[in-house]
Structure formats: structure tokens, C-alpha cells
Amino acid sequence: MSPNKKDNMQYIGIDLGTSRSVVSASNGNRKWVESYVGWPKDFVAKKMLGKRVLFGSEALEHRLALNLSRPLQNGVLKEGTERDEAAVQELIGHLIELADVEPGKDICVAVGVPAEALKVNKIAIRNAISEYAKNLMVVSEPFSVAYGLGTLDNTMILDIGAGTVDFCIMHGTVPMEDDQRSILMAGDYVDEQLLKLLTEKHPEADFSLNMVRRFKEKHGFVGSSKRRVKVEAPVDGIFTEFDITEEMRRACESPMPAIVETVIDLIAGFDPEFQESVRKNIIIAGGGSQLSGLDTFLTEATKQFEPCKFTCIDDPLHAGADGALELAADMPEEFLEKL
Amino acid sequence: MSRHSEIKKTVLRGVYEDNAGIPRSTHGKRQSKFAADSQEPVHSSRYPGKAVLVAVLGLVALLGFNLRLVTVDVAGPAAMQVVEEQPLPSYRVQLPVPVSPVGALIPGNDQLVSPEPIQSLDDATITSGRYDTMLTRLGMPMADLFNLQVQTIVIDPGHGGIDPGATGHLGLKEKDVVLDIAKRLRDKLAVTGKYRVLLTREGDRKVFLKERVAFAKENRADLFISTHVNSLPPGAGSLNYVETYYFGPHTDQRSLELAEKENRDSDYAMGDFREVIARIGDTLKTEESKQLANSIHKHLYNNMKRRNRGLIDAGAKTGPFMVLLGVEVPSVLIEVSCISNKAEEARLSTPEYRDRIADYLKTGIVDYLEERAHRRTIEGGIIQNVAKQER
Ligand SMILES: Nc1ncnc2c1ncn2[C@@H]1O[C@H](COP(=O)(O)OP(=O)(O)OP(=O)(O)O)[C@@H](O)[C@H]1O
Ligand SMILES: [Mg+2]
Ligand SMILES: [Zn+2]
């Protein structure tokens, strides 16, 4: 790429997630926000909040005064929901603002979105983003992770998010529909299971979904655990300690059979020679990859069928946005001009 | 180049192709309708309201974007080059003329189509008379451009009857493979309920190229998809190609030979030939054929690669195929596989494999049609905005 062109271009990578959206920019800025967008419900609320639109935890905090949207709730924009489209647009605008690029420069953005949304809402998402950037690409989230890791061939990426687990096999080309699969049993599902198990076992205690999610993020594990998981929850207003080791294990393991089945099924669709190499290269990304013991557990679980090797990535929070950033920056100039 | 950077290049191109070609809305930043102080929905230009005005102006936009003037140049391989993109609104394409089998005697530099300069978007004063002329010249019904009608897709299984096409080592015949794939493709497209799908032959019978073209015309086809299976000379060993063509000059010797083979029984009379060349001036057709070819090829190749690591991507490109020249609407010829490769022949003899190929073709076609519908809507929207400002 000619130096002048490059000098005047700022690259931005965005991971547009169900629960969390992350931005990573060529100026080194990396930020994230919970994927909530809220508009004040009426004039009074607007006056009170002093803002046209709120994001992330701030939006959650004032939810009663807002028209709130979590635009990619189940990994897709619901058909015809203009509010969600507008929310995606606001969210992207906000993330670009957070990237804090130098004014006056051209912006090139690559956005990774859940695989399902790319399939269903590609055009709507493109429209929402096109307002901000001169050059623009939308790709599937697991693909942007793969790109960042440089694993473009002989690999499967498994992105365990909040709304969906996305599976994607990389075989040296841009992934096609049959290379990708999504299941709805992901982080949110684990939270629901955990809440259900705990409420059944301790009906006297007041567990909430947000509370158990925090438990999971702090203590979540699969397989055997060396230490007990002890947490506090209110009983009649008094914080009381509970040992939730067993419930935690069961909840965290609840999506595992579906994950194993999907991995095996997806690989089976490939050239036998290729299957071998993919099995040895299964990479786990996404917030859910931080469950303790996950790679060992899945490697063990597949032993009885087709032995596979799973590895968790180092920085699941930023991997998607970083990969998208790299993609944007690598895009040859002759292509960029037409995007 | 290392293997990794080779793959990286392929992947970047793939991302580019996935993202290119979808025009963006150029209107200013939309105000959110959910903000407290704008309760009324801002009328989004994505939903064209006054259909007729939008359609009329949208068409002009299309012309402005796509129109090319055509001159017919001398026949023969020397003429087979395309003068690439010059500034809008109009530019010239040296029309490629196939060398075989009938293209020997084309009058040189005969300007067959020379439209008046096309008005750009900026002067939005278009009379309906003018618009009519444009429509006629374009030779494409407006309803098609704006997807107001059910689309008719004509699928053309190559060869048939006494013409078996290519034959594999085990005796599998191209004519049978492509007929089966075509029928599967038809069924898959038909179940969507959105398209009327017809085949140029239903059985094992000989159909001349001319008849195939006539069939598309009589049935008012909106898209024409010709399916073939490649066969490489014995020296090519176990090579396996997938390639997709739209009409234009050949880009390599192999394409030329292939086209000669597929053109074998074209018996256009000289007069017909001149007439069809005039029609290639319909630039929308070439541009749309290219997009259609790209979409189909991407789905076909990337998916087939999954089960066939050695598969070679011979690309979506131009080739002088008579059947594509004759048809007036976006048309492609796909060499879906390579029957001279033994492993591929074995796969092609299974219904599952043929069904999968039909699936990939279907996805490529539907993707193209949906993206095209979207492009039309946006272009319509832009015009609508311009019209609003004019008022
Ligand atoms: N340390 C942790 N251990 C286990 N799970 C975690 C941890 N940290 C975050 N999570 C879970 O990861 C999920 C969020 O992951 P991520 O940010 O990758 O999702 P997302 O990209 O927003 O969702 P999606 O990919 O479905 O669109 C949530 O369910 C969250 O509870
Ligand atoms: Mg994610
Ligand atoms: Zn053929």
C-alpha cells in the first residue's frame, strides 16, 4: 500500500457481540462496552439523564427511564425490528468514538458479528455501519478470531459467547455456510441452568440471574475441581454462605454434549485427510472459553469418538476485535478502494 | 510466496468479494427514531414509497451507473480485449467476437448502438418519453429490475441425446450428470416459492444451442444458467477444476478450447449473429452476469473445496460461449466439476454429491438475486432522496 494512503487511514476492528462489544484501533486504543443501548423514554427522562442515548452499564442502570435494546439478543437482529438496527448503528458509532481516532483521517472498519447474524442480517448491519466509515467490511466473528490468530487453514474455531456458540472450520478460504454452525446453548444458557439448580436446591435463598453469572465468571469450571465453590446469597435479607460446587459443575457442563456433537458432526463433512489435521487444531475463543478446565474436558470427552485436541486462546476478550483490526489493515489497497 | 501468505491473499480476496458490490446508502446519518425528541419515525429511504417515481428515476440511475457504449471491432482473437473502466457516465467496450465457429465475417467498427449522452444523477429532469426510450434500448422489463414480478430462471443442462458431452473413464456421461443436477437445482429453487424455474430439456434429447436461446426468450427468462462438466485432456492427469463463465473474450487458451467445444453445434446464421451482438450492448447484462457468476462460483468452489482439497479454483471469468451471447438476460455457464478426474467421476456418480452441487448453485443464485434486489432498493432510495430535494 502506498505510504500516503496508509498515513491517512485509521483502521478499526470491532467485535459486535450479544453481551459485549469490543473495539481495537490502529492507534492502540482498545475498549469494550456491554451491548446495551438505551434511548430516554420521554422528554423528562432525557432532561434528567442529559443524554440522547446511553450505552452499556450506564444504560442498564437507568433502564426504567429508557427504551432499552440488546440488539443481537439471540445472535441475530430480529426481522424488521428497526429499533435493533438503530441500536447497532448507535453502538458502532459509540465504539468508533471510544477508539478516539485522529480527526480528519479516513476510517476503515472491519466488524465481526455473530455467524448467524451475518447470515440473516448482513445487509441491515452493513447499512447500520456504513454511516461512519469510508471503507467497511463485515465478517463472521469466529472468522475474525481465526484471522487474528493466523489460523486460516486446518483449524476449527469454537467461539463460546453469551447467546451462541459459533463453530467455524477454516480451510483456506472465507468460510461458507456449511463451514459454520451455531448453537444457542452458550453462556446465557449456563446462567439459566445455574439459577434453576440453585433455586431448586435452596428455595429459601434469593439468587438472581446477574448474581449467578458473576458466580460463574469467578468460579465456573468443568470436570473435576480441586476446591469447593462457596458463595454468599441473601436469605431473608441476611447474606448466607452456600457450597454450590456440584450445581456449578452441572450447569457449566450442560452445553458440553451439544458442543461435542456439533464439533464431530461438522468435521465429518470434510475430506478425510483434512479431518485429521482439523481434529488436532480446535481453538476455543469467546468469554466462555475462560471456564476452568475446559480444554482438557473437551479433549477427554472426544476421546471415545474421534480424538480431538482443544486449546483455549490467551485473550478471549480482545481476540475478535484484534483480528478484525488486522484484517482491515491487511486489506490490499486495490480492494479497499472499492469497499 | 509462502503457503500461508498465499492463503491469506485468497482469504482477503474472499472478504473483499463478500463485501464489495453492495452499494451503501449515501444519505446522511439517520436520526434515531427512538430518541425522545423525535417520536415520529424518520422515513427511511430504504423503503421506497412512491413506486413509480422511484422506479423511473432508479432506472436512470442504473443507466448512469452501468451504461456502456458498444462498438463492434474486427473479428478474431486480436480484438478480444476489454477497454476497462473510464469515467462515467459512458464508456466504450471493444466487443469481443468469438472466432469460432461462425464469427468470421463481422464488419469492422460498425457502431451498432450509440445512445445519446446519458444524463447524470445531478440533472433529475427526466421526461417519461425519454425514459421509455431508455427502457426499450435496455431491452429489460422494468418489473424485473425492481423485482415486482416472479423471476423466471431458465436452467440449461448442456448436451443431450446423441451428444453425450464429456465422458469419464468409468463411462459416466456429462449429459446425464448435468441433467440430474439441473433437475435438483430446479426443485430447490422452486420450493422457495419465489421463482418460476424451467429447464431447456427435461429428458435425454438433443437440443441445439439456438433452441436453448429461443427457449429462454420465449419464456421470458430473467436468468439463464447453463450447466456443464469439464473434461481435461489425458495429459492433465488428476487435475480437477471448477470454473464459471459469463460472456466475453477468453482469458486463456484453455477457455478458448473449452468454448469451441461447447459451441460445437451452434448454428447461428450470420444475421442472427449480428443481432445478438447488438444486444450485448446491453451493458446491464454483462455487469449482472459477472455478479451472478461471482456469486455462484464463490459458493460452488469454496464448498466443494471442503471435500476435495486438490480442487483448483479456475475462477469466474469471461469466455466466448455462444449460448451466453444469445441470451439477453444475465447468463452464466458453469463447469461444475471435472469428469476426467477419476475420483471426481466416482463422486459425480452418487446422487448425494450431485445434490450438494445443486445446493451450492442454488445458494449462489439466490444470494445474487437477493443482493440485486437490495441494490435496486438502495438505488431507488437515492433517487427518491434526490427527487425530494428537487421539490
Ligand atoms: N471468566 C469467565 N468464565 C466463564 N464464563 C465467562 C467468563 N467471563 C465471561 N464469561 C461469559 O462469557 C460470555 C460472554 O462472552 P463473549 O463476550 O465472548 O460473548 P459475546 O461475544 O457478547 O456473545 P456472542 O458471541 O454470543 O455474541 C457470557 O456468558 C459471560 O458470562
Ligand atoms: Mg462473540
Ligand atoms: Zn459441456
Side-chain angles (χ1 to χ4, degrees):
Chain A
M1 185 175 283
S2 67
N4 312 3
K5 181 103 191 169
K6 202 149 198 176
D7 283 352
N8 213 41
M9 187 72 94
Q10 291 265 2
Y11 301 95
I12 295 180
I14 289 176
D15 165 4
L16 193 64
T18 307
S19 77
R20 212 171 46 171
S21 294
V22 189
V23 63
S24 186
S26 50
N27 60 11
N29 283 338
R30 284 162 130 199
K31 300 275 167 57
W32 69 274
V33 60
E34 282 177 86
S35 307
Y36 285 99
V37 179
W39 294 272
K41 271 183 183 153
D42 49 37
F43 187 74
V44 179
K46 192 183 174 200
K47 193 98 190 165
M48 179 189 84
L49 295 165
K51 284 182 184 158
R52 188 180 63 81
V53 55
L54 285 76
F55 299 96
S57 48
E58 195 185 4
L60 266 184
E61 199 177 304
H62 298 286
R63 63 192 315 153
L64 294 181
L66 301 174
N67 287 318
L68 196 70
S69 165
R70 194 190 189 199
L72 295 164
Q73 187 77 60
N74 290 308
V76 286
L77 283 170
K78 274 140 271 135
E79 201 73 47
T81 47
E82 265 192 73
R83 180 196 287 195
D84 286 346
E85 269 185 56
V88 165
Q89 193 179 341
E90 297 282 10
L91 196 55
I92 295 280
H94 181 60
L95 288 163
I96 291 176
E97 239 164 65
L98 287 177
D100 199 19
V101 296
E102 251 177 85
K105 292 205 169 182
D106 288 336
I107 296 179
C108 172
V109 188
V111 185
V113 304
E116 224 22 53
L118 187 65
K119 213 155 82 187
V120 183
N121 316 110
K122 179 169 161 189
I123 286 164
I125 290 176
R126 275 189 67 93
N127 277 349
I129 301 166
S130 67
E131 314 283 347
Y132 303 103
K134 184 154 181 274
N135 307 99
L136 157 71
M137 294 154 252
V138 185
V139 297
S140 88
E141 181 53 30
F143 169 74
S144 65
V145 172
Y147 193 87
L149 297 174
T151 52
L152 300 174
D153 201 4
N154 303 319
T155 321
M156 180 189 289
I157 304 286
L158 218 161
D159 178 3
I160 308 184
T164 56
V165 182
D166 289 350
F167 303 74
C168 174
I169 292 194
M170 295 301 305
H171 56 100
T173 68
V174 172
M176 306 305 289
E177 220 154 90
D178 289 0
D179 301 327
Q180 311 193 54
R181 203 79 66 77
S182 291
I183 61 173
L184 287 171
M185 281 185 187
D188 289 350
Y189 178 80
V190 169
D191 302 341
E192 284 156 25
Q193 294 303 305
L194 185 55
L195 180 62
K196 196 171 132 238
L197 290 170
L198 290 177
T199 320
E200 272 167 16
K201 179 136 181 228
H202 309 287
E204 75 283 9
D206 287 323
F207 293 106
S208 76
L209 205 55
N210 278 326
M211 198 190 288
V212 302
R213 177 177 301 130
R214 282 197 303 274
F215 296 161
K216 175 195 73 179
E217 291 178 3
K218 192 145 179 234
H219 307 288
F221 75 98
V222 292
S224 55
S225 166
K226 290 138 250 124
R227 46 188 191 84
R228 310 298 302 172
V229 177
K230 290 181 181 157
V231 297
E232 287 193 334
V235 177
D236 296 331
I238 299 161
F239 272 91
T240 314
E241 192 179 79
F242 294 94
D243 183 327
I244 62 165
T245 314
E246 192 47 27
E247 289 74 26
M248 183 63 85
R249 189 186 59 75
R250 280 176 60 193
C252 292
E253 287 180 4
S254 61
M256 296 304 143
I259 289 178
V260 169
E261 193 180 313
T262 309
V263 165
I264 288 174
D265 196 50
L266 197 54
I267 294 179
F270 281 74
D271 198 330
E273 237 179 282
F274 180 67
Q275 293 183 15
E276 274 304 311
S277 43
V278 175
R279 278 197 214 103
K280 289 190 216 107
N281 276 305
I282 306 179
I283 293 168
I284 316 176
S289 69
Q290 296 168 91
L291 283 177
S292 163
L294 185 61
D295 43 5
T296 321
F297 181 89
L298 287 172
T299 303
E300 281 297 314
T302 48
K303 248 190 190 144
Q304 44 177 321
F305 313 98
E306 314 269 10
C308 296
K309 172 120 177 46
F310 292 81
T311 315
C312 295
I313 61 167
D314 291 335
D315 187 359
L317 177 60
H318 297 105
D322 285 354
L325 170 61
E326 213 174 312
L327 180 67
D330 282 355
M331 194 49 81
E333 187 175 7
E334 77 251 37
F335 290 167
L336 217 47
E337 262 157 19
K338 293 185 214 148
L339 286 172
Chain B
M1 205 188 306
S2 79
R3 191 176 133 70
H4 183 74
S5 51
E6 194 81 55
I7 290 178
K8 209 160 175 172
K9 232 173 99 183
T10 311
V11 164
L12 285 166
R13 170 173 287 278
V15 171
Y16 160 72
E17 279 170 0
D18 266 354
N19 281 277
I22 311 172
R24 340 208 230 123
S25 38
T26 53
H27 52 278
K29 188 170 170 173
R30 246 180 297 144
Q31 259 281 322
S32 167
K33 66 180 262 199
F34 303 100
D37 49 3
S38 61
Q39 299 293 359
E40 274 305 298
V42 175
H43 202 84
S44 163
S45 57
R46 279 168 301 150
Y47 310 110
K50 297 172 185 69
V52 177
L53 176 69
V54 172
V56 170
L57 291 164
L59 186 85
V60 176
L62 289 175
L63 284 166
F65 292 150
N66 291 326
L67 197 102
R68 290 159 198 202
L69 308 185
V70 168
T71 52
V72 175
D73 208 58
V74 276
M80 298 206 179
Q81 38 147 322
V82 173
V83 177
E84 262 304 333
E85 318 237 339
Q86 283 163 17
L88 292 174
S90 63
Y91 51 95
R92 297 157 71 92
V93 173
Q94 306 278 105
L95 185 81
V97 178
V99 258
S100 77
V102 288
L105 286 164
I106 304 301
N109 288 326
D110 194 6
Q111 194 138 342
L112 293 176
V113 186
S114 57
E116 311 127 67
I118 295 305
Q119 292 190 314
S120 72
L121 275 182
D122 311 33
D123 35 19
T125 47
I126 286 100
T127 66
S128 69
R130 210 187 142 75
Y131 149 67
D132 279 342
T133 335
M134 286 174 179
L135 248 196
T136 327
R137 188 177 294 143
L138 205 62
M140 259 192 177
M142 182 176 81
D144 161 54
L145 290 176
F146 289 91
N147 281 314
L148 303 176
Q149 260 179 13
V150 174
Q151 306 260 331
T152 298
I153 302 174
V154 168
I155 305 169
D156 173 45
H159 314 277
I162 55 160
D163 170 14
T167 305
H169 300 276
L170 311 169
L172 191 65
K173 294 189 179 69
E174 174 179 0
K175 64 173 184 178
D176 298 325
V177 173
V178 295
L179 179 60
D180 183 72
I181 291 176
K183 285 181 172 169
R184 291 171 190 275
L185 175 58
R186 171 189 56 198
D187 297 347
K188 287 171 197 291
L189 286 167
V191 292
T192 65
K194 292 186 201 156
Y195 317 108
R196 174 172 162 250
V197 194
L198 305 168
L199 300 190
T200 52
R201 67 176 172 99
E202 293 276 346
D204 182 17
R205 69 180 183 89
K206 167 92 184 162
V207 185
F208 288 95
L209 287 190
K210 201 173 168 179
E211 295 176 81
R212 298 174 195 264
V213 172
F215 181 87
K217 202 179 303 181
E218 276 157 23
N219 290 289
R220 308 182 139 272
D222 296 296
L223 285 190
F224 182 83
I225 315 283
S226 191
T227 54
H228 287 256
V229 175
N230 233 329
S231 172
L232 298 170
S238 62
L239 290 184
N240 193 2
Y241 281 94
V242 173
E243 52 195 344
T244 307
Y245 288 96
Y246 56 101
F247 187 80
H250 66 276
T251 50
D252 54 36
Q253 188 58 23
R254 206 173 46 77
S255 302
L256 180 62
E257 281 162 16
L258 182 67
E260 278 170 352
K261 216 157 62 182
E262 307 288 21
N263 286 341
R264 214 153 25 203
D265 65 14
S266 119
D267 58 351
Y268 282 98
M270 194 46 229
D272 299 345
F273 193 46
R274 196 203 286 244
E275 195 191 332
V276 286
I277 288 172
R279 282 192 210 112
I280 200 68
D282 170 4
T283 60
L284 205 49
K285 175 193 155 182
T286 305
E287 188 50 40
E288 293 297 326
S289 300
K290 178 179 175 183
Q291 305 241 9
L292 173 62
N294 282 336
S295 177
I296 292 176
H297 188 76
K298 179 182 78 180
H299 285 279
L300 188 63
Y301 175 75
N302 287 1
N303 278 308
M304 284 179 70
K305 182 87 196 298
R306 186 178 306 125
R307 278 167 208 271
N308 189 342
R309 298 287 284 165
L311 190 65
I312 294 168
D313 183 4
K317 54 195 170 183
T318 52
F321 294 89
M322 295 306 291
V323 72
L324 300 182
L325 177 59
V327 176
E328 296 168 316
V329 294
S331 44
V332 296
L333 183 147
I334 313 149
E335 303 277 349
V336 299
S337 162
C338 214
I339 208 166
S340 52
N341 176 302
K342 281 184 191 159
E344 189 67 15
E345 184 185 5
R347 279 190 285 263
L348 280 172
S349 63
T350 68
E352 295 78 36
Y353 193 66
R354 297 193 298 265
D355 198 63
R356 218 172 280 137
I357 291 177
D359 247 335
Y360 305 148
L361 297 177
K362 178 210 136 191
T363 318
I365 294 167
V366 170
D367 250 30
Y368 160 78
L369 284 172
E370 281 174 2
E371 227 149 71
R372 179 169 89 169
H374 172 72
R375 271 187 279 137
R376 302 293 188 252
T377 316
I378 284 201
E379 279 156 10
I382 294 170
I383 301 307
Q384 192 185 33
N385 271 5
V386 172
K388 252 188 213 149
Q389 284 160 15
E390 293 281 312
R391 256 181 275 134

